Amino acid sequence: YLLSLMREHGVTTVHLVPSMLEALGAVADGGFAPTLRRVLAIGEALPVEAARAFRAANPDAALFNLYGPTEAAVSVTGHEFVDADAATVPIGGPEWNTRLYVLDGRLDPVLPGVPGELYLAGAQLAHGYLGRPDLTADRFVASPFAKGERMYRTGDLVAWRPDGTLEYLGRTDFQVKIRGFRIELGE
């Protein structure tokens, strides 16, 4: 039904989670829509196999892998999938007005290629969790890089690649994502 609507109405841009991209690809019987120019995938890790399958069926449409927790208002990184993305699809580099830090347990920056936790800063960052000072104190920490600024501790394990983009490696805590929904296993 969704594919027929996209084709009927000449949709040019689609914003979805990667599992929906895979589901649509499984029933598309060819390309999604001849008018499609870009797909923005966000909310969970984009499997390289899904990205390759999409590109093969939709060669005229760009596929962007976006990353961004709710605490930073939608996306904070972006990467356009290219054929050179062989093993994984990077989450990209910072979007406008966003600062990304890959830090060790002492909040020191790690070298490129070394795994560390991703911290976010910038104007789009939330101030904390309403009515949850305990959770706010755990996730929103003082920045050692800019006086008076707070960073959001994402819990995501990443590493800088040689090309300056970030590769997502997993979680540093017990949070999991199922179809784009974050779930704390302790809850």
Side-chain angles (χ1 to χ4, degrees):
Y1 174 74
L2 183 57
L3 285 169
S4 65
L5 283 177
M6 290 169 57
R7 292 169 182 158
E8 178 184 340
H9 294 284
V11 170
T12 59
T13 303
V14 177
H15 193 259
L16 43 66
V17 295
S19 53
M20 177 59 94
L21 178 75
E22 290 180 293
L24 288 173
V27 298
D29 190 30
F32 282 28
T35 54
L36 191 63
R37 295 293 165 251
R38 75 193 59 77
V39 171
L40 310 172
I42 190 170
E44 56 196 31
L46 175 60
V48 71
E49 300 81 16
R52 278 196 194 111
F54 172 81
R55 284 286 300 270
N58 303 274
D60 295 329
L63 175 59
F64 293 90
N65 188 28
L66 306 179
Y67 166 88
T70 301
E71 292 83 353
V74 191
S75 65
V76 293
T77 71
H79 172 78
E80 183 175 358
F81 176 76
V82 294
D83 292 336
D85 296 329
T88 62
V89 182
I91 60 173
E95 292 181 352
W96 181 80
N97 211 20
T98 301
R99 285 175 301 292
L100 310 175
Y101 302 101
V102 181
L103 308 176
D104 64 16
R106 296 187 325 244
L107 299 182
D108 290 326
V110 299
L111 296 172
V114 176
E117 186 170 355
L118 178 60
Y119 287 74
L120 309 175
Q124 80 294 357
L125 198 62
H127 295 284
Y129 301 107
L130 183 64
R132 293 292 310 265
D134 56 331
L135 190 54
T136 297
D138 182 52
R139 290 293 181 173
F140 292 84
V141 299
S143 173
F145 308 108
K147 186 175 178 163
E149 180 176 68
R150 294 195 321 168
M151 301 182 302
Y152 172 65
R153 185 172 66 88
T154 67
D156 288 320
L157 189 66
V158 298
W160 288 112
R161 293 166 35 131
D163 64 2
T165 62
L166 286 174
E167 182 172 352
Y168 175 81
L169 303 172
R171 294 289 301 169
T172 63
D173 57 17
F174 298 107
Q175 187 182 91
V176 296
K177 277 197 175 182
I178 300 175
R179 296 186 198 102
F181 291 99
R182 291 189 291 179
I183 298 171
E184 296 286 346
L185 295 180
E187 296 178 354

